[in-house]
Each structure stands twice: as structure tokens, then as C-alpha cells.
Amino acid sequence: MAKVSFRSVWKKYGELAAVKDLNIECADGTFLSILGPSGCGKSSTMRMIAGLEHISAGDILFDDQRINDMAPRDRDVAMVFENYALYPHKTVFENMANPLKLRGQSTDRIRERVNAAANLLEIGQLLRRRPQELSGGQKQRVAIGRAIVREPKLFLFDEPIAHLDAKLRAHMRGEIKHMQRTLGTTMIYVTHDQLEAMSMADLIAVMHDGELQQLGTPREVYNQPVNAWVAGFVGEPAMNFLTCEVQARRDDVLLTHSNFALPLLPQQVQRLNGHAAGPVRMGVRPDGLSITMRKPSEPVITGEIFVNELLGGDMIVDVQLADARIRVKTAPEFEGVPGEACYVTVNREKWHAFDVENGRAFF
Amino acid sequence: MTDTVLSDQSIPGQSQGLFRVRQITDNVEARPVPSIATEPKLNPPASRAYFFGLMAPAIALLACISLYPFCWLIYMSLHDVEIGSAVWNNFENFTKLASDSRYLNGWWLLIQYSVMCLALQIGIGVFLAVALNGARFEKILVTTLLMPMMMAPIVAGLVWYFLYNGTFGWYHWLLQSVGILGPKSILASTGTALIGIVIVDVWQWTPLITLITLAGLKRVPQDQLEANMVDGASQVRNFFAITLPNLYPVLVIAVMLRFMDNFRFIDSVLALTGGGPGNATKILPVYLFEVSFKFFKLGRGAAIALTLLVVTIILGMILVRVFDRQQTRKA
Ligand SMILES: Nc1ncnc2c1ncn2[C@@H]1O[C@H](COP(=O)(O)OP(=O)(O)OP(=O)(O)O)[C@@H](O)[C@H]1O
Ligand SMILES: [Mg+2]
């Protein structure tokens, strides 16, 4: 168990900077998820922690001990590799037993731990097989098994369930999270799937192009994204963005668009911080909007239903405005059909405004 | 199998240590329809005549250049052959070999020679390859290292003959001044002559092993090395657990090439010692050369050649078998 700290960590491959000035404090026992699109430097970060990649600049600390120059085996971490990295000439059992064997555990203990892990991962019947006789998802589970047979200081999971089917993935999300809670081991979990990060992590580090965008709890990242990029990346279906104007009128400050003009809440006016007029990007998630077929009394956006998608328990309605299209989340009972006029109300508690230039969030 | 079931149904008393064990409740209604497909009628396989037609020229060529001489070899081995005549002799060529001490000694020397050469070449070759792999100036160093291999074996033999020379040989002087050698040349005493020819073979052919091993090293899966390192292996252990098993297939090939060469190539031995002193370096192929082309006992020579060939083929087949197993294990 360990606290993990990144102090201005850089990773450079020649000229290319894959990780730029990364600063993260991850308390002992935290489930930290590193979230970002492909190629943003997630795996590079993991590999630096594991000791497989030289740390170009800065320090990584475990419990205040600098580990930059420590050999991988002395770091006491367990890693699930993105590409499984199983040993093809060993059986599944031997693959999973390897970390224990290398650390001189007794045969009984090895058998007990491997069987327990195999049960958890539902691969008990595969223990005799070799990796080439397994499907991608099974391999991935073996790779997870190899990591969890031990009780290391730190778990490093690099997209460990990306190749499982949706149902098994949902199941594994729960299992991994439960396992981490029970063991209380610090976990760094890389994923490009925002749902995975949101549902599992205590702390999410959102990365883009090697740079840390936001470090916060899932709630913070979802409800108070620091910039438009994070806001757009996190959340499914994605946030709606409309370019609006800020206009002061009498005692109100309005956010205007060709389809609507809605007043900001007082605390939001404050957060605009002098940005009294001019364009901003308004962002609102589909669940911050609601849709009706009858015109309500409050101020609304009028539009026309473009298409609606039923997603089991929810319905997503695409609404065509004069010059934009937005998505609204509503109940599956919604009876509107494409082509009809509809009315969208905004929950102004839940909308965001971003700087048009640098994407920074005002609120 | 649903998520709610998964998270709620932990079975009391069955949880093992830290892990929950759930019951898998298969959803019976969700099972797919049982298969009703019957065995299909198979399409005819591709025509064999076509394949044989394609291979015929190659087979014909092979028959001329190797099958024909091979038949002659068998024929000669069963006869007393003089130039112009051949007399059937009731397998005497073979039966006499059993009591031919120089023949038996030839085998014994060949085995010693081959084993020493292979062990040293593989050991040093792999070591060099590992040291050179990914080193600075790797390409230049490897090229330099390859020099001995490019020399004709007979030239190598002659060069070393002079280096070993008791009166003016540089190596001899070097070894003697450190006290390893007495005043006699390494090739001149029966006890060390075999070592002398082993050294030359090792000098000339270790680079080949290094080259093959280097190629093998490039293909050692990096991710497995890394996984094993994180699992807790030291560098040395990593080498034996991951690198070496991945090198086995190329090493098997290397062993095959080298042992066959040892069984065939006698250029350098002839240049260095000609089989002497006494019979100290008269490995079987050298003896075979003597019998056939010095004493012109062609029938007897053919019989020796045949036994050598059979052993070579058997060993070769064993190695191919081993190689195949390595491959299937890897695939
Ligand atoms: N060994 C390397 N040499 C040079 N460039 C590399 C190397 N490894 C990664 N990169 C580059 O560094 C950047 C970050 O790569 P990294 O593997 O960390 O991405 P990632 O976030 O893990 O992506 P993914 O989600 O696709 O796995 C990429 O642009 C990649 O091309
Ligand atoms: Mg990656």
C-alpha cells in the first residue's frame, strides 16, 4: 500500500513529449483512473511507474520515496498490460502463478491464490490451457489474474477490460472495484472509456495530448469540468455545445442564441468575472435539458424533433434548432415523433459557459 | 447471468479469502437454438497431379545430382572397388569396420570434437550476441566480428597453422610466455592437438552463432520480458525464463548447421594437422578421406561414408523434430 506522487513528470521519446509536466497526488488506497483518448500518454505514464520506461524529467514517489532509479521488481507493483503480455509457453495456471513463484511462495499458497483468482475471474476451467488457446477476453482475464494473485503496493491496470463483451465488462467493473475496496490497495487504472472511469474511480485524471486537464472526483469532473474539452469528453451522450452571446439587459445578464435568450443565475454572473459581453460557448448535457410537446410557461427553446433513439430505460431525442442540433435525454414514454415541433427547457443549474478562445470554463 | 445477480448473490461460507465467489446462474431461456446443421458433403481436394507436375523438374534435377551418386555410394560400399572393377564381397566392407580401431577412434574423436566445438560456440556465441544486442555501434561491431567467417576454411587452417607454430608462431609464443604451453606446439602433442583444431573451428564459426542469435534476440517478445520484470524477476532470471526459451528454435538451427559442418568440413583440420600427430586428430571424416583418397580403398571408404551419413541423418531428424516441437509450442 502506498501513496503515489508525480512531481513534474515528463516522458519524451526523442522530440515527442508523450507526457508533459504531470503532477498528481494519489493518496494511499485511492482508485485513480487515468482517462484520455488514444495516444494521450496513459500507457507511457503507467510504464514509468512500473519502471519499464525511463522518467525523462521529474520524480515519481511511493510514500515519499523517490523510485525513479529503482528496478521494476523492487517497486512491488502488479501490472495488467494493455496487450496482455502472457507467457505463451506457460499454461494459464503457470502464467498466474509466476509472480508468486518469483517471490518464493510455497506451492500450497500458490495453488490457493491462483484458484481463488481464477474463480473470481471465471477462468477456473481454463487453467490447463495455454494462452494461444484462449479468446481475447479470456487472455485479458488471465492477465488480470496474474496481477491480483499477489498483494502488491500498487495495482497498475492498463485498459484491462477493453476486450471483454459489454456484459462481462459491466461485471468486471464491479468485481475490480470491489476487489480494490476490499484489499485497500492503491490502484491506477488506465482507460479511454469515460463510463469505466466514472463508475469505478475515486479520483479521475483526465489527460489530453500528454497534459493533465483535470484531476478530480467523478462528480467534479462530470459536474464542474474545467474546460470544454473535458466537458465534451466525459459523459455519454456527449454535452451539447452552442455558441452564444452574453448580453446585459436591465438587471439581468442574458445568454442569447438565435433560438433563445435565457438569463443567467446570479452566481453564474459572478463567475463570468467581468466577461460582460461577447461570445461564449454554452454547454449543457442532455440530462440538463427536458423536452415537452406542449409549450410550458417558463422560457423555452423551440425546435423540431429530428430523430429519437430509445435506449431501453432512457430516450435520447435529437432536436433540430434553426442552426444547430442538440440532444435531449428524456423518459422512454415521450410520445413525440420526428418532424413535430417541440419545446426544450434548460435546467440552468446544470449549464456551463466556456471561453470561446481557450475553452476554460467560467462555470 | 445478469449484473444484479452477480453483485447480490455472494454465497455465504464459500468466499475464499479476499475474493467473493458468485454462483453463475445461467439464463436457460437465453440459450441459443440447438444446432440442426448436418455434416456437409466435402468438395474434392485440389488435384495432386498438378502438384506433382509442378515439382517434377525439381525432382528430376535432384535425382541426377544426388540420388544417382547416392546409389553409386551404396553400390561401392558393397564391393571391392578397384579402378575399373568391382567385386561383390559379402558386406565385408561393413563387417571389417567393427574391428577397425582407427574407425572407432575416428568416431570417438569426432564426438569429442563436435561436442567441444558446439558447446564453446553456442556459449561464446550467445554471450557475444547478448552483449552486442542493442549496444552502441552494434552494426560495426557485428560486421567486424564476422570477418573470420568470411575466410575460406583452408586459409583459416593455414593462418592458424603459422600462429600455432612452435618456433615463430605468435600465439604459441603468447601462450608459452604466460606459462600455459610447454615448448612444443599445441598441434605437435597428442594431448593438445584436438584442442588446437577445436580452437580454430570456434574462432571461425562462433560469429555465425552470434549472428543467428542476434536475429533471434530481436524477436524475443519485449512485452513478456517486461511482464516478467514486473512480476519480480531479476535480469538474469529474466534471461533464463524468457530470452533463452525464445532462442531455442534458432539455437536448434545453429546446432544443426554446425554439427553437420563438423561432420563434413575437414579443410582446416587437413591444413592444420592432417590428422596427426599419430591419429590424435583423425576424426572420422579425415579418416574417411584417407581411406578413400590416400589408400584408394573406395569400397571401404563408401562404407564409412554411408555410416557417417546415416548417423548424420538420424541426428538431423532428431533436431528437426525438436525444432518442430519448439515451433508448435510457440505458435
Ligand atoms: N516507444 C515509443 N517510442 C516513440 N514514441 C512512443 C513510444 N511509445 C509511445 N509513443 C508515443 O507516445 C504517445 C503516447 O503513447 P501512449 O502509449 O502512452 O498512449 P496511450 O494513451 O496509452 O494510448 P492508447 O489508449 O492508444 O493505449 C503516442 O503519441 C505514441 O505514439
Ligand atoms: Mg495505452
Side-chain angles (χ1 to χ4, degrees):
Chain A
M1 274 159 241
K3 182 179 93 180
V4 182
S5 325
F6 296 80
R7 303 264 163 87
S8 304
V9 170
W10 286 73
K11 177 67 213 174
K12 288 194 141 194
Y13 298 106
E15 279 303 296
L16 176 96
V19 177
K20 300 168 195 159
D21 195 25
L22 189 63
N23 284 290
I24 298 178
E25 288 281 325
C26 173
D28 186 11
T30 306
F31 193 125
L32 169 72
S33 175
I34 301 180
L35 173 66
S38 185
C40 72
K42 307 182 297 290
S43 297
S44 304
T45 309
M46 289 297 241
R47 293 168 56 80
M48 285 191 286
I49 306 172
L52 301 173
E53 208 74 69
H54 176 245
I55 300 169
S56 307
D59 297 320
I60 296 179
L61 286 74
F62 289 178
D63 286 333
D64 301 320
Q65 187 194 4
R66 183 173 175 276
I67 51 113
N68 287 31
D69 306 316
M70 205 184 265
R73 68 185 186 128
D74 299 324
R75 298 191 185 194
D76 194 19
V77 302
M79 182 158 175
V80 179
F81 287 80
E82 200 172 7
N83 54 358
Y84 328 127
L86 300 176
Y87 313 116
H89 48 281
K90 289 186 173 154
T91 63
V92 167
F93 182 92
E94 289 163 344
N95 263 285
M96 288 168 65
N98 195 50
L100 299 170
K101 222 163 128 195
L102 284 169
R103 287 181 161 81
Q105 304 272 357
S106 73
T107 335
D108 286 343
R109 171 110 180 108
I110 291 177
R111 196 169 313 116
E112 180 197 326
R113 297 290 307 182
V114 171
N115 284 333
N119 273 338
L120 173 86
L121 297 159
E122 290 174 21
I123 48 174
Q125 74 286 9
L126 305 176
L127 287 175
R128 292 257 178 80
R129 301 223 201 141
R130 288 180 201 284
Q132 67 265 26
E133 299 158 350
L134 302 178
S135 74
Q138 290 168 335
K139 282 184 198 164
Q140 205 148 38
R141 280 181 280 164
V142 176
I144 297 176
R146 184 172 60 185
I148 63 176
V149 289
R150 228 157 52 74
E151 279 163 39
K153 259 195 204 148
L154 175 64
F155 282 126
L156 300 173
F157 281 30
D158 196 347
E159 310 203 7
I161 56 178
H163 296 263
L164 305 186
D165 63 58
K167 207 172 212 180
L168 198 50
R169 195 152 59 212
H171 162 48
M172 287 307 302
R173 280 208 301 265
E175 290 297 333
I176 292 176
K177 183 164 182 168
H178 175 84
M179 179 203 74
Q180 191 269 342
R181 283 276 151 75
T182 325
L183 293 172
T185 310
T186 316
M187 158 84 85
I188 301 185
Y189 186 104
V190 160
T191 177
H192 59 251
D193 179 355
Q194 52 90 29
L195 177 67
E196 241 169 62
M198 294 295 292
S199 61
M200 299 170 80
D202 301 321
L203 200 60
I204 300 182
V206 189
M207 282 180 77
H208 176 52
D209 251 354
E211 274 175 290
L212 181 64
Q213 303 291 314
Q214 183 167 8
L215 181 67
T217 64
R219 261 178 236 283
E220 283 167 1
V221 171
Y222 189 81
N223 293 328
Q224 296 139 38
V226 296
N227 59 36
W229 188 84
V230 172
F233 189 71
V234 173
E236 175 64 39
M239 186 180 269
N240 299 297
F241 289 105
L242 294 171
T243 305
C244 301
E245 289 281 330
V246 178
Q247 284 179 358
R249 195 180 63 187
R250 267 171 283 158
D251 30 82
D252 270 345
V253 176
L254 296 183
L255 211 52
T256 63
H257 185 256
S258 49
N259 287 280
F260 58 86
L262 300 169
L264 292 169
L265 301 176
Q267 70 270 26
Q268 292 170 340
V269 176
Q270 253 175 22
R271 297 286 291 278
L272 271 181
N273 207 3
H275 189 95
V280 293
R281 286 187 84 194
M282 187 274 273
V284 62
R285 295 189 189 283
D287 54 9
L289 299 168
S290 48
I291 187 169
T292 54
M293 300 305 290
R294 240 165 300 132
K295 192 174 167 87
S297 51
E298 25 179 346
V300 288
I301 309 171
T302 45
E304 185 182 288
I305 298 177
F306 182 71
V307 71
N308 37 16
E309 304 164 45
L310 184 63
L311 307 176
D314 290 315
M315 184 180 280
I316 305 296
V317 185
D318 285 31
V319 178
Q320 181 72 51
L321 308 182
D323 54 358
R325 197 178 293 159
I326 55 175
R327 314 189 85 197
V328 183
K329 190 163 165 180
T330 185
E333 291 77 27
F334 179 70
E335 71 280 11
V337 288
E340 284 186 319
C342 63
Y343 305 95
V344 177
T345 45
V346 183
N347 178 350
R348 284 175 295 154
E349 299 278 343
K350 288 192 172 179
W351 69 3
H352 304 270
F354 304 98
D355 194 312
V356 178
E357 241 103 76
N358 57 21
R360 226 161 21 83
F362 292 114
F363 56 85
Chain B
M1 207 171 81
T2 63
D3 281 319
T4 41
V5 174
L6 296 177
S7 40
D8 295 336
Q9 276 218 349
S10 31
I11 308 160
Q14 269 212 27
S15 70
Q16 298 195 7
L18 290 158
F19 301 125
R20 265 183 316 158
V21 177
R22 296 173 293 80
Q23 184 151 39
I24 303 161
T25 49
D26 232 356
N27 193 345
V28 179
E29 281 78 27
R31 284 207 181 126
V33 185
S35 166
I36 51 159
T38 49
E39 275 295 305
K41 186 173 160 289
L42 295 177
N43 299 332
S47 151
R48 304 194 90 187
Y50 177 66
F51 290 122
F52 280 120
L54 280 180
M55 288 194 299
I59 292 174
L61 187 70
L62 265 181
C64 290
I65 60 172
S66 75
L67 214 54
Y68 175 71
F70 180 68
C71 294
W72 255 108
L73 181 73
I74 295 177
Y75 176 82
M76 289 203 300
S77 72
L78 298 171
H79 294 77
D80 256 334
V81 186
E82 301 280 323
I83 304 292
S85 80
V87 183
W88 173 263
N89 68 357
N90 264 333
F91 299 100
E92 217 174 61
N93 288 334
F94 289 99
T95 47
K96 271 191 180 162
L97 287 183
S99 53
D100 182 346
S101 67
R102 277 188 297 177
Y103 171 76
L104 298 175
N105 189 43
W107 269 119
W108 173 229
L109 286 172
L110 180 60
I111 291 167
Q112 291 181 42
Y113 174 66
S114 274
V115 169
M116 279 195 277
C117 285
L118 280 175
L120 286 170
Q121 280 167 20
I122 299 277
I124 303 174
V126 171
F127 177 81
L128 282 177
V130 171
L132 283 175
N133 189 27
R136 264 167 153 241
F137 311 121
E138 181 186 333
K139 291 231 165 71
I140 298 174
L141 287 172
V142 171
T143 316
T144 323
L145 201 75
L146 289 185
M147 299 286 207
M149 221 174 84
M150 299 173 190
M151 205 180 271
I154 187 91
V155 178
L158 287 171
V159 167
W160 278 85
Y161 177 75
F162 290 116
L163 288 173
Y164 279 150
N165 188 289
T167 37
F168 55 82
W170 192 81
Y171 279 9
H172 182 80
W173 167 81
L174 184 74
L175 291 179
Q176 192 183 2
S177 51
V178 217
I180 295 178
L181 275 185
K184 240 167 134 191
S185 162
I186 187 171
L187 297 177
S189 83
T190 44
T192 54
L194 193 65
I195 310 276
I197 64 171
V198 167
I199 289 175
V200 177
D201 196 73
V202 169
W203 173 81
Q204 186 162 33
W205 294 110
T206 300
L208 178 70
I209 310 281
T210 305
L211 198 66
I212 297 179
T213 313
L214 264 174
L217 279 176
K218 306 284 180 217
R219 291 184 45 200
V220 173
Q222 208 58 33
D223 56 340
Q224 287 173 44
L225 288 174
E226 288 175 349
N228 204 40
M229 231 143 66
V230 174
D231 279 354
S234 62
Q235 295 276 344
V236 177
R237 212 154 164 182
N238 222 356
F239 175 79
F240 284 104
I242 309 288
T243 310
L244 206 53
N246 275 293
L247 284 180
Y248 283 150
V250 294
L251 289 182
V252 171
I253 298 217
V255 167
M256 185 138 67
L257 288 174
R258 288 308 304 140
F259 106 83
M260 284 187 176
D261 282 354
N262 285 154
F263 276 36
R264 294 183 305 157
F265 283 160
I266 50 170
D267 325 26
S268 60
V269 181
L270 285 181
L272 283 163
T273 64
N279 290 329
T281 59
K282 204 163 285 174
I283 56 175
L284 194 64
V286 175
Y287 179 58
L288 160 63
F289 177 79
E290 257 183 15
V291 170
S292 291
F293 301 113
K294 264 193 183 153
F295 310 133
F296 278 101
K297 301 220 165 116
L298 291 177
R300 184 111 161 269
I304 298 176
L306 212 55
T307 56
L308 193 61
L309 184 66
V310 168
V311 173
T312 311
I313 289 175
I314 291 175
L315 285 178
M317 269 165 37
I318 292 175
L319 284 172
V320 168
R321 189 69 62 80
V322 172
F323 178 75
D324 271 353
R325 239 206 334 266
Q326 299 282 357
Q327 287 299 298
T328 46
R329 269 180 66 179
K330 263 189 81 172

